[in-house]
Amino acid sequence: MKEYKDLSERDEFLARELLDLEKSAESLKQLVKDLAERLAIEFSMGVTNINKEFGGLFSAMFGGGDARLILTKDKKKPSFAEAMEGEESFEFSEDESEEVIEEGLDIAVNLPRKKIKGLMMLSGGERALTSIALLFAISAVNPPPFIILDETDAALDEANSKKYGDLVEKLSK
């Protein structure tokens, strides 16, 4: 009887522990869901704010035109090596159509007096100015305590270096 009583008490204790763990798991799942929603909202607001600043700074650098960040989603099938990663037993099947969605950001530009739409079609100096405008837009939305810029105007000619200097001065205020 004593052994039965001891085992019964242990069983009740473990049942209470299991119930507590299930409640904790549900609580954590809800927390993860809430954080994911909040992160998505804040990320989209951040991209929107950066786009506003980026468009203005790009237009100031190039004397017109516009630029914006675009959220992208690409579907791809994982490679065999990626599928094997972390799997203890993996069966490769040709009809398995697990697609992974990769999300990212792309930059769309529209230069004044040019029919260039893609970032890859820009010259080195134009890419540098676009990158600088994006960097400054991010800094304007969430100002860091300091920024170290090392030879960021190396690809720029004299006229664009002047624009860059004016923008640095404006940003420093």
Side-chain angles (χ1 to χ4, degrees):
M1 285 304 279
K2 180 178 182 333
E3 191 174 324
Y4 172 75
K5 182 180 176 186
D6 290 343
L7 287 175
S8 293
E9 288 175 3
R10 175 131 177 92
D11 186 48
E12 289 174 12
F13 172 75
L14 291 175
R16 285 192 308 267
E17 289 291 312
L18 185 60
L19 186 63
D20 186 41
L21 287 173
E22 289 171 353
K23 286 180 184 177
S24 296
E26 283 300 315
S27 173
L28 287 174
K29 285 178 186 177
Q30 184 61 39
L31 180 63
V32 167
K33 181 181 173 188
D34 292 345
L35 286 174
E37 289 173 6
R38 182 176 175 196
L39 183 63
I41 290 169
E42 288 193 20
F43 180 77
S44 67
M45 284 178 21
V47 169
T48 301
N49 292 338
I50 289 171
N51 265 335
K52 288 177 189 173
E53 291 290 328
F54 184 38
L57 291 170
F58 183 88
S59 183
M61 287 270 227
F62 287 97
D66 64 358
R68 65 188 180 287
L69 294 174
I70 300 171
L71 295 173
T72 61
K73 290 185 180 183
D74 293 331
K75 292 181 182 179
K76 79 168 203 169
K77 289 187 177 186
S79 69
F80 182 74
E82 290 171 338
M84 289 294 294
E85 199 172 289
E87 297 276 332
E88 294 206 11
S89 65
F90 177 78
E91 292 181 24
F92 187 71
S93 127
E94 302 239 355
D95 62 325
E96 233 177 89
S97 60
E98 284 188 33
E99 289 185 341
V100 177
I101 297 177
E102 289 186 350
E103 297 182 12
L105 288 172
D106 199 7
I107 299 174
V109 296
N110 185 11
L111 290 174
R113 300 171 298 282
K114 288 189 178 183
K115 292 185 179 183
I116 295 175
K117 297 289 182 188
L119 194 59
M120 297 307 291
M121 302 297 291
L122 299 177
S123 69
E126 290 168 336
R127 283 189 215 163
L129 285 177
T130 303
S131 300
I132 291 166
L134 179 59
L135 176 67
F136 286 174
I138 293 169
S139 299
V141 170
N142 189 8
F146 59 89
I147 299 175
I148 298 174
L149 304 169
D150 184 25
E151 296 186 29
T152 50
D153 63 339
L156 303 179
D157 59 8
E158 191 174 327
N160 287 330
S161 289
K162 173 75 171 114
K163 288 179 188 177
Y164 169 71
D166 293 341
L167 200 58
V168 169
E169 187 176 333
K170 178 183 173 186
L171 184 67
S172 69
K173 292 177 182 173

